[in-house]
Amino acid sequence: MSDSVFGQEKRYSFEKGLMGSPFKLVVYAANDSIAELAAAKAFGRVEELNEIMSDYRDGSEINRLSAQSGSGKWVPVSKDLFEILDISLSVSKKTKGAFDVTLGPVVQMWRHATRKGIFPAQEEIAAAMQKTGYSKMKLNRKASSVLLTQKGMRLDIGGLGKGFAAEEAIKEVKKLGITSAMMDAGGKIVLTNPPPGTDGWNINISNGSDSLKALKLSNISLATSGPTYRYMEYNGVRYSHIVDPVTGIGLLFHVRTTAICPNGTISDALATAFSVAGIEKTKKMVRKFPGTTVWLVERKGDRVAEWNTIKQ
Ligand code: AMP
Ligand code: MG
């Protein structure tokens, strides 16, 4: 737990496996009980969100909503679910659909193919693709309701859920009067004020191979999307777990994308979206997101191409 002392505040670090990833919380607090309360509140909030948004649980609110797709009914949803879908839709529009929360049927198909090591048939891809498209998801803020216009739709917040959870967890920590905190939700990170007596949190980001950037950051968020154990190898070709909404197939040339921006949910969504868009399209798209910097690495044949606007 506490491993260093500065002034009256001590550094505390907590870790817990949540949403299929290690979540790490660091806080500077006056005493053990405040720090432990912060961890309980922060992780408790993530668990609460996971209950709502997990696509692995049949009874989760998001899966119950998807089950009503095509019924013609506006379904009232919780504030949390509405907010994340609202942010998703706005990012979809600004990224011309590179980010798409309605890709559930394709993500499911892809996950299944990865597990079995069998590349999906063209008809299977077409059938799944037919049930996707963010314009088929309608939102009504006043009534906090969602309409999924086509039967068989399935929402998947995997591309921004951890960033949202990190952002929400940090809100809980702030409520306790803690001003220096970091939540790392499996590579989606939200930072508040620097640790006492320093000018920033030490964050290392890498392009996946040789170069590494050591940054000092505060009051900002960042997210990295990159190859995990979740990829598919078929005929010697690697496909990412991030799906191209145009082809319905995992990305081929994606190596790693880091996005830094003021909001944790958006930085998570953008790391995924810019992975799909690639360097050239991202150069234009990023202008729609004020205060955002990125580092993109993609494979071009045998070469690796990079574009980096992150300041040291
Ligand atoms: P991330 O690690 O944030 O890039 O999220 C990857 C996850 O986002 C995948 O495992 C899918 O659940 C989901 N996903 C895949 N492709 C997309 C996409 N084009 N837009 C939105 N979410 C996606
Ligand atoms: Mg993401």
Side-chain angles (χ1 to χ4, degrees):
M1 252 198 335
S2 96
D3 30 21
S4 69
V5 186
F6 187 93
Q8 290 172 327
E9 288 183 324
K10 283 192 285 183
R11 179 184 190 277
Y12 296 85
S13 161
F14 304 89
E15 221 173 302
K16 191 163 186 177
L18 293 160
M19 295 178 148
S21 291
F23 275 52
K24 187 177 172 194
L25 174 72
V26 176
V27 295
Y28 285 81
N31 59 54
D32 296 4
S33 56
I34 294 180
E36 278 160 21
L37 182 61
K41 294 262 186 201
F43 293 144
R45 178 73 175 123
V46 178
E47 277 163 355
E48 181 181 53
L49 292 173
N50 193 45
E51 298 265 309
I52 296 172
M53 294 169 190
S54 168
D55 63 330
Y56 288 95
R57 302 169 66 256
D58 279 344
S60 67
E61 189 185 4
I62 200 165
N63 283 350
R64 283 187 279 119
L65 170 61
S66 295
Q68 299 213 53
S69 62
S71 67
K73 273 190 233 148
W74 281 92
V75 181
V77 298
S78 63
K79 187 173 178 294
D80 289 327
L81 188 52
F82 190 88
E83 287 310 325
I84 198 166
L85 295 180
D86 195 41
I87 296 170
S88 299
L89 197 54
S90 121
V91 175
S92 290
K93 287 175 184 162
K94 289 185 183 169
T95 63
K96 299 195 162 69
F99 187 86
D100 193 337
V101 80
T102 70
L103 280 175
V106 178
V107 170
Q108 290 283 319
M109 173 199 72
W110 201 245
R111 223 179 255 165
H112 187 73
T114 304
R115 216 166 25 234
K116 300 254 163 176
I118 301 169
F119 201 89
Q122 197 51 50
E123 306 81 70
E124 201 186 336
I125 298 173
M129 283 292 282
Q130 206 261 328
K131 296 175 200 151
T132 71
Y134 66 90
S135 57
K136 297 173 186 169
M137 177 175 83
K138 314 281 181 199
L139 303 181
N140 180 334
R141 175 168 286 277
K142 256 195 173 157
S144 186
S145 302
V146 182
L147 174 69
L148 301 175
T149 61
Q150 191 182 327
K151 194 170 167 53
M153 287 175 73
R154 189 178 176 114
L155 302 177
D156 176 344
I157 51 84
L160 81 174
K162 291 194 194 106
F164 187 77
E167 195 69 53
E168 289 300 308
I170 285 292
K171 282 186 193 163
E172 294 300 318
V173 172
K174 280 183 174 170
K175 279 184 203 162
L176 298 172
I178 291 172
T179 53
S180 295
M182 173 192 80
M183 176 60 111
D184 178 347
K188 328 296 176 183
I189 301 173
V190 175
L191 304 167
T192 69
N193 289 348
T198 75
D199 54 359
W201 295 86
N202 292 317
I203 304 285
N204 288 324
I205 53 172
S206 93
N207 73 352
S209 52
D210 45 356
S211 52
L212 191 80
K213 258 185 187 295
L215 304 173
K216 273 206 183 290
L217 299 171
S218 56
N219 294 307
I220 199 136
S221 74
L222 69 155
T224 297
S225 277
T228 55
Y229 55 95
R230 291 180 299 163
Y231 62 83
M232 167 157 193
E233 192 155 326
Y234 188 73
N235 285 344
V237 180
R238 271 193 188 189
Y239 300 86
S240 161
H241 67 294
I242 300 175
V243 173
D244 183 340
V246 174
T247 62
I249 297 174
L251 301 182
L252 273 172
F253 307 109
H254 174 229
V255 181
R256 191 174 288 250
T257 305
T258 298
I260 303 186
C261 87
N263 176 277
T265 317
I266 310 248
S267 57
D268 190 356
L270 290 185
T272 308
F274 293 158
S275 301
V276 173
I279 293 173
E280 291 314 314
K281 287 185 186 155
T282 298
K283 285 182 181 174
K284 289 191 193 132
M285 279 178 194
V286 74
R287 294 186 205 138
K288 295 182 198 159
F289 299 93
T292 300
T293 54
V294 292
W295 187 7
L296 255 87
V297 188
E298 61 187 42
R299 204 173 294 287
K300 286 254 167 87
D302 295 338
R303 273 185 338 106
V304 160
E306 295 195 32
W307 186 56
N308 192 348
T309 65
I310 295 172
K311 290 173 205 76
Q312 295 232 276

